[in-house]
Amino acid sequence: MAERPLDNWLQERMRAVGLFSWRALQARAGISRRALDQVRQGKWGSLRLEQLQKLAAALQWDLGSLLRLSENDKMGSTDSPEVLFSLLQPLLTSYPTVREIARRKPDWPAQNVTALFRSLDALLQHWGYEPIGSPLESVPFDPQLHQPDQPDIRPGDPVYIRFVGYRRGDYILCPAKVSRSLPGGLS
């Protein structure tokens, strides 16, 4: 059985908002059982931002409060940098791409959104996390650093970084997501 370090904390919060089973939390949040299992195991990195928002709402919290859970003493050993990173991974992997699109297309409405994320650069630096590549950069495929969108991409093949990855020293927190082509309309 997989370790579920967040069960005690989640059950306490669930009771506080009138939820008395995992199924009830899953139903109120509108997330899959697999997503809930990932949360219970402290592996939030595979969840989309939308799923995290739904979970926060089901627990009657704003997303910021949910993401600050790692500061709560009840989290015990799950407050390692990797767990903190997994909580923020959906945002961290999308942010550099959004920032680059906004730079290349200044009339794109997201231009105003990127200012909201300036503190992420400082946080990443504080944690010692380094991005793997730059958004939309052309690089040779490296299976140690990149996650391809097609199974036939081979080492050395030219690819574009669609979403950056992150590393801390030699440890790869998540690989950069790469593709043979850029998203439509970008060059």
Side-chain angles (χ1 to χ4, degrees):
M1 182 176 194
E3 183 179 333
R4 295 187 169 150
L6 301 182
D7 275 4
N8 289 339
W9 176 87
L10 284 170
Q11 287 173 327
E12 182 179 316
R13 183 66 192 164
M14 288 164 52
R15 283 190 298 275
V17 298
L19 297 170
F20 299 100
S21 71
W22 297 115
R23 186 169 292 194
L25 175 59
Q26 178 188 341
R28 185 178 290 177
I31 60 175
S32 70
R33 180 182 173 133
R34 182 179 179 276
L36 181 59
D37 285 343
Q38 294 288 67
V39 169
R40 292 175 67 192
Q41 293 171 30
K43 299 177 181 176
W44 299 33
S46 64
L47 274 67
R48 297 184 314 273
L49 183 57
E50 175 187 21
Q51 291 172 305
L52 291 171
Q53 290 169 326
K54 287 180 176 181
L55 180 62
L59 294 170
Q60 297 178 7
W61 255 349
D62 60 60
L63 184 58
S65 296
L66 181 65
L67 296 179
R68 285 189 297 272
L69 289 179
S70 60
E71 297 170 10
N72 189 325
D73 290 340
K74 295 175 185 174
M75 298 282 286
S77 65
T78 62
D79 62 358
S80 70
E82 289 76 19
V83 172
L84 289 168
F85 180 83
S86 70
L87 290 171
L88 296 171
Q89 183 179 343
L91 177 61
L92 293 175
T93 57
S94 298
Y95 162 65
T97 300
V98 170
R99 181 177 58 194
E100 182 63 17
I101 291 170
R103 187 187 71 76
R104 291 185 186 201
K105 295 181 166 259
D107 58 334
W108 190 54
Q111 180 67 29
N112 299 326
V113 174
T114 60
L116 301 174
F117 301 107
R118 286 189 185 128
S119 63
L120 282 180
D121 291 330
L123 182 62
L124 290 171
Q125 185 177 10
H126 173 74
W127 284 343
Y129 292 160
E130 302 170 51
I132 297 172
S134 298
L136 313 179
E137 174 185 20
S138 178
V139 297
F141 175 67
D142 180 341
Q144 299 299 315
L145 301 175
H146 304 136
Q147 177 182 343
D149 66 349
Q150 299 293 318
D152 62 340
I153 295 178
R154 301 287 172 236
D157 285 357
V159 293
Y160 292 97
I161 294 181
R162 299 289 288 269
F163 298 97
V164 300
Y166 286 90
R167 67 188 310 158
R168 191 174 70 205
D170 292 335
Y171 182 73
I172 305 300
L173 295 157
C174 71
K177 294 181 176 136
V178 298
S179 178
R180 283 196 173 97
S181 61
L182 288 171
L186 297 174
S187 56

